[in-house]
Amino acid sequence: IAARNEEMVIERLIKSLKDQSYPEELYEIFVVADNCEDRTADIARAAGATVYERENPMERAKGYALNFLIHKIWEDYGENAFDGFVVFDADNFADI
């Protein structure tokens, strides 16, 4: 999830992802709090996501944020730790 100043909606998305019938031990929810000026990162962490914070005011776009996030995941988990990635906008909602 790439999120910039999404404190009002990020918790709802994370909760909807956790409420899916898919076994929770088989996936991880990652958030890149990108150039945030609010509590997006704190709220996402409290909701159970793994959060990376990115600060680069010269590069403000989802592509930059997702590139940063993928490289952080590879750095921390290894390039083969996950079979794939699904990208959500912070204001999405995953229906059960």
Side-chain angles (χ1 to χ4, degrees), residues 1 3 10 14 28-34 36 39-54 68-69 72 76-77:
I1 303 166
I10 193 73
I14 293 168
E28 182 76 26
I29 299 171
F30 294 101
V31 172
V32 55
D34 187 46
C36 288
R39 296 181 50 238
T40 297
D42 294 333
I43 292 168
R45 274 190 203 95
T50 299
V51 179
Y52 294 94
E53 296 184 60
R54 179 180 174 274
F68 170 86
L69 179 60
K72 285 296 191 179
D76 291 349
Y77 294 84

Side-chain angles (χ1 to χ4, degrees), residues 76-90:
D76 291 349
Y77 294 84
E79 290 187 27
N80 297 314
F82 300 95
D83 292 332
F85 296 95
V86 177
V87 178
F88 292 92
D89 286 335

Side-chain angles (χ1 to χ4, degrees), residues 46-81:
T50 299
V51 179
Y52 294 94
E53 296 184 60
R54 179 180 174 274
E55 296 285 336
N56 186 335
M58 301 305 294
E59 296 177 341
R60 290 182 172 220
K62 186 187 294 186
Y64 293 117
L66 292 175
N67 183 57
F68 170 86
L69 179 60
I70 296 291
H71 283 90
K72 285 296 191 179
I73 293 169
W74 287 349
E75 185 179 303
D76 291 349
Y77 294 84
E79 290 187 27
N80 297 314

